[in-house]
Amino acid sequence: MSYTTIETEVHGRVGLIRLNRPKALNALNREVMTELTDALDEYDSNSNIGAIVITGNEKAFAAGADIKEMAEASSVEMLQRDHISIWDRIRSVKKPIVAAVSGWCLGGGNELAMICDMVVASESAKFGQPEINLGVIPGAGGTQRLTRAVGKAIAMEMVLNNRTLSAEEAYQFGLVNRVVPLESYLDEAIQLAAEMAARAPVAIRLGKEAVNHAFESFLSNGIADERRAFYFLFSTEDQKEGMQAFIEKRKPDWKGK
């Protein structure tokens, strides 16, 4: 299958997916997410693939969602589009997914890394949830998975005050598995995936399900609440101002309504 916003490669029993919108810092628009989930489904159904790696480039894993795609939408339009539901397809992938992260990993990019099963970060990686700068909050699991990964205190600071974590901080707080030099982060991720791909496939699948069950018990309720709040914020003037200011590269003028 051919794609326009991602690239795919096979390394032995590892399927690699590379986000490929470098001019937009791999911003996650509808086309990217559709192609990404299609590629994941293809690898997941291929018996010759045992594990999957998702990566971007050295400058950015993914710097967030595509703001221009949603800036003018109303809350009803966001609810009707329900673009975030496509993320549920990633969660349903049975094979282990490793995120190989370098550079910016922000907003939807951080949510994408967190929905993967493991994260290998380069020393240059930066993790954050800057949606508050746009007058909204994370909407694809950011408030829920982040809190479970790093704890309430750090999650509050990241969600409410745009704290960005360095790669080493992300490792210390439990957001990533390991931090490696820039020149080897992708090779390290592929090697990690290859090791899992060489193990018993059924045991790998059930082990992933069991760990996710422990991690995500009651998560579905939180995800639903987060998604409703995210869509609701598109009825506020601050959301329109925040996203327009982002597009115009200026400081937003918040009105509190």
Side-chain angles (χ1 to χ4, degrees):
M1 186 180 295
S2 61
Y3 301 101
T4 59
T5 64
I6 65 170
E7 296 174 346
T8 59
E9 305 169 12
V10 174
H11 297 258
R13 284 181 49 77
V14 175
L16 175 67
I17 302 171
R18 188 189 307 274
L19 305 178
N20 188 34
R21 295 187 71 208
K23 292 182 180 179
L25 296 178
N26 294 327
L28 303 174
N29 63 10
R30 180 71 174 183
E31 185 178 15
V32 172
M33 293 304 300
T34 298
E35 291 193 342
L36 172 62
T37 50
D38 285 347
L40 286 169
D41 288 344
E42 185 176 354
Y43 282 148
D44 205 29
S45 63
N46 185 343
S47 61
N48 293 318
I49 298 296
I52 303 164
V53 173
I54 300 175
T55 193
N57 55 47
E58 292 185 358
K59 189 174 182 180
F61 176 71
D66 193 324
I67 304 306
K68 293 180 180 179
E69 194 174 61
M70 66 179 80
E72 296 303 318
S74 69
S75 56
V76 172
E77 287 171 335
M78 291 295 290
L79 182 65
Q80 290 173 336
R81 294 176 188 174
D82 197 19
H83 286 179
I84 297 174
S85 64
I86 198 170
W87 291 71
D88 298 335
R89 289 174 61 188
I90 304 175
R91 173 60 184 82
S92 70
V93 172
K94 300 176 181 64
K95 294 170 183 174
I97 306 172
V98 179
V101 176
S102 183
W104 296 111
C105 184
L106 303 176
N110 194 43
E111 290 171 311
L112 176 58
M114 289 191 293
I115 206 172
C116 294
D117 301 302
M118 303 177 194
V119 181
V120 174
S122 83
E123 293 171 330
S124 72
K126 302 282 187 183
F127 300 84
Q129 297 289 163
E131 289 88 347
I132 198 70
N133 294 339
L134 305 174
V136 294
I137 63 172
T143 66
Q144 305 301 300
R145 290 189 176 92
L146 184 65
T147 304
R148 285 163 171 76
V150 304
K152 176 184 174 181
I154 301 302
M156 281 289 192
E157 195 170 356
M158 293 176 70
V159 172
L160 302 187
N161 204 37
N162 189 29
R163 176 173 176 177
T164 301
L165 300 183
S166 67
E168 189 58 38
E169 287 175 321
Y171 174 73
Q172 292 172 359
F173 294 134
L175 191 59
V176 307
N177 291 75
R178 60 190 71 170
V179 179
V180 298
L182 175 62
E183 59 270 18
S184 60
Y185 81 99
L186 182 55
D187 289 339
E188 185 87 5
I190 292 173
Q191 178 60 32
L192 176 60
E195 291 171 2
M196 291 185 288
R199 301 186 188 280
V202 177
I204 285 286
R205 172 179 172 175
L206 295 181
K208 170 174 172 169
E209 288 180 3
V211 172
N212 277 333
H213 179 75
F215 184 73
E216 297 182 353
S217 294
F218 307 109
L219 177 63
S220 59
N221 293 336
I223 291 287
D225 289 342
E226 177 197 77
R227 192 173 299 181
R228 282 191 293 268
F230 176 75
Y231 289 156
F232 167 78
L233 284 165
F234 281 77
S235 66
T236 67
E237 293 181 19
D238 279 349
Q239 172 269 323
K240 297 294 179 290
E241 168 63 11
M243 292 193 174
Q244 195 60 42
F246 175 87
I247 292 170
E248 296 173 0
K249 299 181 179 178
R250 60 175 175 81
K251 186 176 180 179
D253 180 19
W254 304 121
K255 301 297 183 184
K257 56 183 179 178

